[in-house]
Structure formats: structure tokens, C-alpha cells
């Protein structure tokens, strides 16, 4: 079996032998997440009503983030610690070499892209996002099942390669080569509206590439060659390893990371605290409007 490392389509997923794949449902509603680490939000309720057969559930808040660390200035969705994420993979019964496929709803595969990136951070490359998400599976007439899925736990011990994949507050300000790419919608980037964070605007010098521009009207990603041309046009003379992605809390930025990798533009990194982490320090500068040029 040829392992998928960015995207996988419905037919390719349906053809996989169940024992050879770990499927993870990442559906999550940012406006109805549940109020605590293990409270059930809309995404988990939707999962229990119907999901791809064999899929386990991943909560953005409880499994793919550590909300207890928000007070450290790490943004609204701080990254989980290595041990905690290892325990999540253990609970899912992951074993090395297994193809992982993650998916969510039609809102752009945002939480699924976050899981994809976290797994790469942990050195796991055999992970792909289902192109078009759960709606693509359902619209293709594929089987679904209800209830919870429990897999036999296995011992897992992961380590994050932070230096290769993550940029923190200090290195963001001290790297003259980097170019920031902000995945938020244009009005939020420009500071015209800000529905979540206390301050609107963007990091001075950051460019804007809304993650929605990676998608076709049906919710699937644009072809790799199209994405490559669009990102190269947006980045100008900057090479992929110079790019640092950000968004509101480090989730939608992973969508741009995934799109670039799918387009063959490898080596970009994530400013994980993103805008919510940047504005946690009132002394950091804020820009509004469009960047010149």
C-alpha cells in the first residue's frame, strides 16, 4: 500500500483494508465546543449520530489542544504536551506504519488539518486528510455507523520536533528571513472586525492568504498545480522554508500548511500561538488595513 501524506479521496479511503488504517473524526464547531476539557460539543454529538465506519473521535479542545495553558500567552488553542498527545494516540490504538486518515465537516477540514500537522510534528508522515470531509463520504453513498468506537490501546511515546515545525514569540521577532502568512479572513486580518480576540488587526508585515482560497466550491482542495501557482504568486521571492503560518489560534493556519505541502512547497512552519497569543502582550505592535504591495 502506498501511504498518503497530504490528501486522500473517498474512493481511495474506501478501498483500504480496515486493519491497515486509523480513521479519526475531527468534527468540531468553534461556536458550540462544549465548556470543558471533556464536555461533549456539537462535533462529538454529530460523530455519535453517524461517522465513517471504524472512526475514533478527536476533540479539538481536549485532544488536539491543551486549554489549561492559555494563561501562558500561547493563544486560544495551545498545543498539547508530548505526553498528553502520546496518550491520545495510545487510546486510539495507533501503531507505527499505520495509515492515518482524518476528516471533519464541510467547513474546510480545519481541525483535521490541525491533527495532520500535529502528527507531522511528532514525526508521523503517514497521515492524510480526507478531501471534502465527511460530506464527500456521505454524498458518495458510502456506509456510515453510529455510536462510539473503542480500539485496543497500545503504548505510545512521541516526541515533538519543535525546531523544525514551530516558531515561538521570540524567534518570530528575531528571524529576518521569515515571512508571516495569515490564514484568517480578510476583514479580521485588516482589523475591520474581530469576533473572538480582544484586539483586531495583524502582526506588522504579515501577508494574508485566507484558508478558504485553498478550496473549490464543493469543499475539496484545488489541484496541486493551481495551489502551487497561487502560493508562489502570494509569496513572491520567498521560498517555502521562509514561510511561517499563523491565524487566530493556530488551527486554520494548518490548512495553509497542508495546502502548501500538497502543492509540493515543503518546509514552512507554524507560529502556534498565532494572533490570540500575539495580542496577549499589549506591548506587541498591531497593524490594521492591508499591507502595502
Amino acid at each position: 500500500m502506498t501511504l498518503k501524506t497530504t490528501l486522500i479521496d473517498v474512493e481511495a479511503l474506501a478501498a483500504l483494508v480496515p486493519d491497515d488504517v486509523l480513521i479519526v473524526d475531527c468534527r468540531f464547531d468553534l461556536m458550540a465546543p462544549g465548556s470543558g476539557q471533556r464536555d461533549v460539543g456539537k462535533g462529538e454529538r454529530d460523530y455519535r449520530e453517524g461517522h465513517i465506519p471504524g472512526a475514533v473521535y478527536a476533540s479539538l479542545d481536549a485532544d488536539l489542544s491543551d486549554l489549561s495553558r492559555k494563561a501562558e500567552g500561547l493563544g486560544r488553542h495551545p498545543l498539547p504536551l508530548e505526553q498528553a498527545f502520546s496518550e491520545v494516540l495510545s487510546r486510539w490504538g495507533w501503531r507505527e506504519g499505520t495509515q492515518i486518515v482524518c476528516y471533519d465537516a464541510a467547513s474546510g477540514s480545519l481541525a483535521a488539518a490541525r491533527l495532520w500537522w500535529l502528527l507531522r510534528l511528532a514525526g508521523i508522515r503517514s497521515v492524510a486528510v480526507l478531501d471534502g470531509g465527511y460530506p464527500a463520504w456521505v454524498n458518495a453513498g458510502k456506509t456510515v455507523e453510529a455510536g462510539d468506537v473503542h480500539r485496543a490501546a497500545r503504548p505510545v511515546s512521541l516526541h515533538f520536533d519543535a525546531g523544525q515545525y514551530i516558531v515561538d514569540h521570540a524567534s518570530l521577532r528575531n528571524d529576518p528571513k521569515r515571512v508571516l502568512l495569515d490564514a484568517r479572513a480578510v476583514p479580521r486580518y485588516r482589523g475591520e472586525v474581530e469576533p473572538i480576540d480582544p484586539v483586531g488587526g495583524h502582526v506588522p508585515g504579515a501577508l494574508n492568504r485566507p484558508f478558504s482560497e485553498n478550496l473549490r466550491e464543493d469543499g475539496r482542495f484545488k489541484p496541486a498545480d493551481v495551489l502551487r501557482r497561487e502560493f508562489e504568486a502570494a509569496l513572491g521571492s520567498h521560498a517555502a522554508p521562509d514561510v511561517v503560518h499563523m491565524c487566530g489560534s493556530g488551527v486554520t493556519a494548518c490548512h495553509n500548511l497542508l495546502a502548501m505541502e500538497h502543492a509540493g512547497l515543503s518546509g514552512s512552519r507554524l507560529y502556534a500561538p498565532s494572533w490570540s497569543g500575539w495580542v496577549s502582550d499589549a506591548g506587541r505592535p498591531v497593524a490594521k488595513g492591508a499591507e502595502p504591495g
Side-chain angles (χ1 to χ4, degrees):
M1 178 181 68
T2 301
L3 295 173
K4 301 289 187 179
T5 59
T6 55
L7 299 176
I8 188 171
D9 62 31
V10 166
E11 296 304 326
L13 174 57
L16 293 178
V17 177
D19 290 344
D20 292 340
V21 61
L22 168 61
I23 305 174
V24 187
D25 186 313
C26 303
R27 282 178 287 174
F28 190 86
D29 189 335
L30 287 169
M31 305 310 293
S35 59
Q37 287 284 312
R38 283 258 54 105
D39 285 356
V40 176
K42 183 178 183 302
E44 190 164 357
R45 292 195 299 272
D46 289 345
Y47 161 79
R48 289 174 176 168
E49 291 174 3
H51 56 260
I52 296 176
V56 296
Y57 182 73
S59 165
L60 175 61
D61 279 354
D63 298 322
L64 311 184
S65 308
D66 183 350
L67 300 189
S68 69
R69 305 177 69 203
K70 289 196 290 186
E72 301 174 29
L74 300 176
R76 284 182 280 105
H77 287 105
L79 300 180
L81 298 176
E82 291 175 336
Q83 181 178 350
F85 193 55
S86 295
E87 291 171 357
V88 170
L89 270 288
S90 174
R91 189 176 77 240
W92 293 343
W94 173 77
R95 65 180 185 274
E96 190 171 356
T98 301
Q99 174 72 66
I100 303 174
V101 175
C102 43
Y103 70 89
D104 55 26
S107 56
S109 299
L110 301 180
R114 165 75 163 223
L115 175 56
W116 170 86
W117 179 83
L118 275 173
L119 290 164
R120 290 173 71 90
L121 175 65
I124 301 171
R125 309 281 297 187
S126 55
V127 53
V129 171
L130 179 61
D131 200 8
Y134 188 64
W137 181 269
V138 173
N139 291 338
K142 302 301 182 183
T143 302
V144 301
E145 67 179 11
D148 288 309
V149 171
H150 300 285
R151 295 167 57 100
R154 300 172 60 92
V156 175
S157 180
L158 300 173
H159 299 285
F160 291 156
D161 187 356
Q164 182 176 350
Y165 290 101
I166 301 175
V167 173
D168 59 18
H169 293 310
S171 56
L172 183 72
R173 301 188 70 170
N174 297 327
D175 183 356
K177 286 184 61 181
R178 62 91 179 142
V179 57
L180 266 174
L181 198 60
D182 193 320
R184 293 176 298 162
V186 172
R188 289 188 66 194
Y189 165 83
R190 292 181 174 176
E192 297 165 359
V193 299
E194 182 44 66
I196 305 175
D197 295 309
V199 180
H202 60 269
V203 177
L207 306 178
N208 188 210
R209 164 73 181 192
F211 78 89
S212 59
E213 294 183 9
N214 299 325
L215 301 172
R216 296 183 280 196
E217 290 185 2
D218 63 1
R220 291 183 298 151
F221 279 75
K222 294 175 180 176
D225 60 335
V226 174
L227 288 170
R228 187 181 185 96
R229 289 196 300 270
E230 292 180 356
F231 274 103
E232 287 178 339
L235 297 173
S237 61
H238 294 283
D242 298 334
V243 178
V244 176
H245 297 273
M246 66 169 293
C247 56
S249 66
V251 176
T252 58
C254 295
H255 199 277
N256 274 351
L257 250 161
L258 172 60
M260 282 188 62
E261 288 288 333
H262 182 59
L265 299 170
S266 300
S268 58
R269 295 169 291 163
L270 177 70
Y271 173 44
S274 284
W275 181 247
S276 54
W278 179 265
V279 298
S280 66
D281 182 344
R284 296 188 182 115
V286 170
K288 295 182 181 291
E291 288 289 328

